[in-house]
Amino acid sequence: MIKFTKMQGLGNDFICMNYDDISRYNLKIFSKFVCDRHFGIGADGVILYGKSRIADCKMRIFNNDGTEAEMCGNGIRCLAQYVYDKNIIRKDKLKIETLAGIKEVEYKLENQKIMAVRVNMGIPQMDTSKLPVYVPSTYKYKEKKCKLSINASDRELIGIFLKVGNPHMVIEVKDLRNFPVTKYGKLVENYKYFPQKTNVEFVQIIDENNIKIRVWERGVGETLACGTGAVASVYALYSEEKIKENCTVELEGGKLNINIDTHSGEVFMEGPAINIFEGDIDL
């Protein structure tokens, strides 16, 4: 029997487990099985807690198609909540090792209860030469910021490609509610410019401190929220001087607060993480 905890961050749901309990399995196959909403537990992904030699703990995140992601904003908040609730680590602040580097996490506590989790997401990467992207030599955009035009059969989609641990394409739209996210999300995720595929954020600006997002996650499909996607969207739009450095991001599953430190360039994400239920699975 393997113990698990089902958690969610703004509706982006995960199965949290100890890596040592499942290390003997093929993690790609295992993740696809337990994330299946009909035959498994059901989730957007699997979060594995493990020991780290360079941080307080280590996080690995697998999407529900079995692929491993470098980072996950909602997922890291869930892991932080998980290790606190399980008394694995009891600190006001901790460092979590990920494939995207070490992330610093701070708890917002009231009477020893976590009200929110704040994560230093680091400095997003926008330099085209350092991104997993293929841009033809004849491409019309020549600036250091990776601004791309995608021929989406019946329309041109223009956005900014950047990396917040994992890759994101941020595309501004006028009518987010009626935008065909599934049609264009899948097309952009698999577009020829992106050898590692990409997450896609379709963004509508409400005002200089508020935006709305719908998310198409690489290897998952449309999800209710994406923490790294929220950070990528704010950073991309801020670079275009369309919004301010403090921004509330409204996703399908709820809201995140994103703050850019204008001196260091680091971006901070703050939001909730919820324990839904716990159980055992017999494999």
Side-chain angles (χ1 to χ4, degrees):
M1 302 290 284
I2 300 172
K3 295 186 179 297
F4 71 87
T5 301
K6 180 72 180 291
M7 303 194 72
Q8 60 91 1
L10 303 187
N12 199 190
D13 59 340
F14 306 95
I15 302 161
C16 293
M17 295 176 165
N18 189 318
Y19 172 76
D20 289 340
D21 291 341
I22 64 167
S23 59
R24 65 186 182 275
Y25 295 106
N26 180 305
L27 296 181
K28 180 175 182 177
I29 296 172
F30 178 87
S31 299
K32 291 177 71 173
F33 169 69
V34 296
C35 286
D36 190 287
R37 297 188 185 276
H38 299 288
F39 298 101
I41 300 167
D44 291 326
V46 175
I47 295 172
L48 302 179
Y49 155 79
K51 297 178 181 178
S52 171
R53 295 180 179 178
I54 57 175
D56 294 303
C57 64
K58 184 176 182 178
M59 179 182 85
R60 294 183 68 181
I61 169 76
F62 288 82
N63 296 318
N64 63 17
D65 70 345
T67 57
E68 185 170 9
E70 299 91 333
M71 238 295 285
C72 177
N74 289 321
I76 198 169
R77 295 199 318 276
C78 287
L79 179 66
Q81 180 87 41
Y82 173 82
V83 298
Y84 189 90
D85 289 345
K86 295 293 183 182
N87 287 311
I88 298 170
I89 304 172
R90 278 277 179 150
K91 295 181 176 181
D92 291 347
K93 299 179 180 180
L94 69 154
K95 294 181 179 180
I96 299 177
E97 179 187 354
T98 75
L99 290 180
I102 295 175
K103 303 300 178 185
E104 297 179 350
V105 176
E106 180 180 357
Y107 297 109
K108 297 298 181 71
L109 298 168
E110 288 186 11
N111 298 319
Q112 298 302 305
K113 182 179 179 181
I114 299 174
M115 307 307 294
V117 180
R118 178 178 167 88
V119 184
N120 182 342
M121 300 292 285
I123 303 174
Q125 180 58 256
M126 300 186 78
D127 186 341
T128 305
S129 66
K130 298 178 181 179
L131 295 173
V133 62
Y134 167 72
V135 181
S137 59
T138 56
Y139 192 69
K140 65 180 180 179
Y141 291 108
K142 296 298 182 182
E143 56 188 292
K144 203 164 189 178
K145 180 165 53 183
C146 191
K147 195 169 185 178
L148 298 174
S149 173
I150 290 177
N151 181 9
S153 66
D154 60 342
R155 71 168 70 186
E156 181 186 30
L157 298 174
I158 298 175
I160 294 175
F161 183 68
L162 66 165
K163 194 171 183 180
V164 184
N166 43 24
H168 292 268
M169 180 69 174
V170 178
I171 299 170
E172 185 181 351
V173 300
K174 297 296 183 184
D175 182 8
L176 185 62
R177 176 52 48 203
N178 296 307
F179 189 83
V181 168
T182 299
K183 175 182 178 179
Y184 293 109
K186 186 174 183 179
L187 187 154
V188 176
E189 176 195 358
N190 296 281
Y191 200 70
K192 61 185 179 181
Y193 288 164
F194 310 120
Q196 298 177 13
K197 300 187 178 181
T198 186
N199 299 283
V200 191
E201 282 72 47
F202 299 100
V203 185
Q204 182 176 345
I205 298 174
I206 306 305
D207 58 43
E208 61 185 14
N209 294 111
N210 294 274
I211 62 174
K212 290 184 177 181
I213 301 178
R214 290 178 66 186
V215 177
W216 181 270
E217 284 203 55
R218 176 185 59 169
V220 181
E222 185 171 8
T223 58
L224 295 176
C226 177
T228 55
V231 170
S233 298
V234 170
Y235 201 80
L237 293 175
Y238 178 76
S239 75
E240 298 273 279
E241 300 183 346
K242 292 183 176 181
I243 61 172
K244 298 294 186 181
E245 65 271 17
N246 296 308
C247 189
T248 297
V249 179
E250 182 178 344
L251 301 112
E252 295 291 285
K255 295 181 179 181
L256 290 172
N257 295 318
I258 308 296
N259 170 251
I260 300 172
D261 186 319
T262 56
H263 296 291
S264 68
E266 295 173 315
V267 186
F268 295 83
M269 171 194 64
E270 184 176 318
I274 307 296
N275 182 328
I276 307 173
F277 63 86
E278 299 181 348
D280 302 290
I281 186 169
D282 191 5
L283 294 176

